Amino acid sequence: MATLSERILGAPAGTCVDRAVDRAYVHDGTGVLTLGTFRTIGRPLAAPERLSVLFDHIVPANTSVTADLQAELRRFAAEQGIHFTDVGEGICHQLMSEGTVLPGEVVIGADSHTCTLGAFGAFATGVGATDMAAIWATGETWLRVPETIRLELSGRLHGGAEAKDLALHYVSRLGMDGATYRALEFTGEGAATISMAGRLTCSNLAIETGAKAGLFYSDETTRCYLAEFGLEAEAQCPEEGCYVADLGIDLGAVEPVVAVPDRVDTIRPVRELEATPVDQVFVGTCTNGRYEDLARLASLLKGHRVRVRTIVVPASRRTLLEAARTGVVTTLVEAGCTIGPPGCGPCLGTHLGVIGEGEVCLSTANRNFRNRMGVGGEIYLGSVGTAAATALAGEITSPEALP
Amino acid sequence: MRLEGRAVLLPADVDTDQIIAGRYLRTKDSSVWAAHAFEDLDPSLAGRLAGAVLVAGPNFGCGSSREQAARALRDAGVVGVVAPSFARIFFRNAINLGLPIAEAELACEEGETVDLDLAAGTVRAGARPSVPCRPLSPRMQAILEAGGLVELLRGRA
């Protein structure tokens, strides 16, 4: 009887293991520090074929300093033959989800939201620049095999609730440090009803409980998704009696919620906050910038006009292309949305939609920390449906109110 | 490893955006991070970090993986950080950079002298009785004693 983390890492919880890394990636933000540290170690790359450098945080560059830093990293990737994606390709986690990461792999990213890729039944976790530099130099890292909390999902989402609402719901149940040093596993008949996009959203927020990883078991949904990329995936099955804690969630009871400033774990039903004015709506990020999200937004905005500035940033070029091909982009632009280049957008408060003092943003991202999107601004986190209803009303509005 | 510093108290759930804001991350001058540490929490704090032991509430360093957070504290002259719990990425970053860090429930007043004995696994504030810290694994102790992960790897090369 073993958890998925124990099986992938090959040791019981509590053990420290040295483990070869199957995929390791950095973005333009953490890559610069990683490169500097790697050079001071003074060794060659141990396994360049497993590394990726994926530009997403400040794309295109906002200042000449950023441009210089990016140029150095771009040059290094080219010299070393490392897999590299430039400005406009998309968010690192999203790109790794588009036909790269497979069930059972060990995936390490120099970004806290690397846990997103647990959606495939991979052990995926974030590290800092020095850990990543050591991976560049040695091909492996050390990990303490985490204990696991099981989130047993039953029923089915309905009535305007999305996977994002489920994610905010479990974060609030566990708290911001409720799973520190531990992993989460999403199991049960309810997990099978959640799409790959929804699973990526759920795994994405695992870090907001302090968790090291957030894993779904590979199943038919995973297999079909990866088959579109020409990849095969083996099914994984949960075992009993290996969890340190259980949390049961009835998906049918999950309602549209928002996380209120400045904590991801403090949620309120959207209807209780109605009439709260907002200055900006932002739809995008590694949480909710996928094609399904943009298509849902377009379906709710079609034929209407937004009442506040609404910034939409596709998670990847593939997402943007699909949205262009299916008319989603046209619908969004006609509705008054502003489309940004694929990447992280204004999520981390550096460009493309930073908010001002006293301004309020309803965002589909994953963090509403104080000042994150701009000094003195406030962030409410919600689903794509809540973002759509809010954009149309100009104030926080539940998607349940939409026709 | 034994350290001593003046206590600077911090609340629970201090995230890495508060330790160093995203707007300061892209720079060729790494001294910027220490100069702007905790700016949005308390602009006067950066000036009081030299020789300080930070005594924080639970879940210190949550959020973004940005290593600039641990770098900012180390470069500002922070002697060590004590909290009941840390976010795991920050915890690893601190150890990797040679910034001593200890998980302990420490009752403490602002400005009190904190004595951190990582070898013995205890921490003490002023004349109060010492309290235990959660022991570091031998691997983490080896990294700290080498002065950081880079120094450890260079030593083995």
Side-chain angles (χ1 to χ4, degrees), chain B residues 124-143:
Chain B
R124 188 164 52 91
R128 300 163 203 255
S130 66
V131 297
C133 353
R134 181 162 154 173
L136 292 176
S137 71
R139 185 190 304 264
M140 289 192 264
Q141 281 184 41
I143 296 171

Side-chain angles (χ1 to χ4, degrees), chain A residues 18 37 40 43 58 68 125-126 128-131 142 176-177 180-181 263 367 369-372, chain B residues 13 15 17 23 26 28 40 59 63-65 67-68 86 88-89 92-93 96 103 139 150 153-154:
Chain A
D18 287 295
T37 303
T40 64
R43 294 193 198 178
I58 304 190
D68 288 347
T125 195
T130 299
D131 268 322
W142 68 271
M176 265 171 78
D177 61 351
T180 299
Y181 311 134
R263 293 178 67 97
R367 290 200 174 123
F369 299 159
R370 192 176 162 205
N371 297 327
R372 180 169 167 96
Chain B
D13 300 313
D15 59 70
D17 276 72
R23 61 187 179 277
R26 312 296 176 250
K28 296 173 187 173
D40 293 345
N59 200 30
S64 157
S65 71
E67 195 166 286
Q68 290 93 335
F86 292 89
R88 57 164 288 277
I89 301 177
R92 282 182 81 116
N93 287 346
N96 285 341
E103 281 181 290
R139 185 190 304 264
V150 170
L153 286 171
R154 283 168 65 96

Side-chain angles (χ1 to χ4, degrees), chain B residues 14-21 36-39 60-61 69-70 72-73 90:
Chain B
V14 173
D15 59 70
T16 52
D17 276 72
Q18 288 183 69
I19 300 174
I20 183 71
H36 294 280
F38 298 118
E39 186 171 279
F60 185 79
L73 303 186
F90 179 86

Side-chain angles (χ1 to χ4, degrees), chain A residues 25 27 56-57 91-94 107-118 124-127 200-209 211-214 264 285-287 290 344 347 365-369 372 381, chain B residues 17 63-65 88-89:
Chain A
Y25 60 96
H27 52 65
D56 62 8
H57 266 51
I91 306 172
C92 57
H93 314 302
Q94 176 65 19
V107 180
I108 308 289
D111 186 275
S112 59
H113 290 108
T114 304
C115 54
T116 307
L117 296 154
T125 195
V127 297
L200 288 159
T201 302
C202 286
S203 291
N204 179 263
L205 265 81
I207 181 69
E208 310 311 329
T209 67
K212 192 168 192 166
V264 188
T285 78
C286 51
T287 315
R290 282 172 269 282
C344 303
C347 176
N366 42 39
R367 290 200 174 123
N368 57 353
F369 299 159
R372 180 169 167 96
L381 302 175
Chain B
D17 276 72
S64 157
S65 71
R88 57 164 288 277
I89 301 177

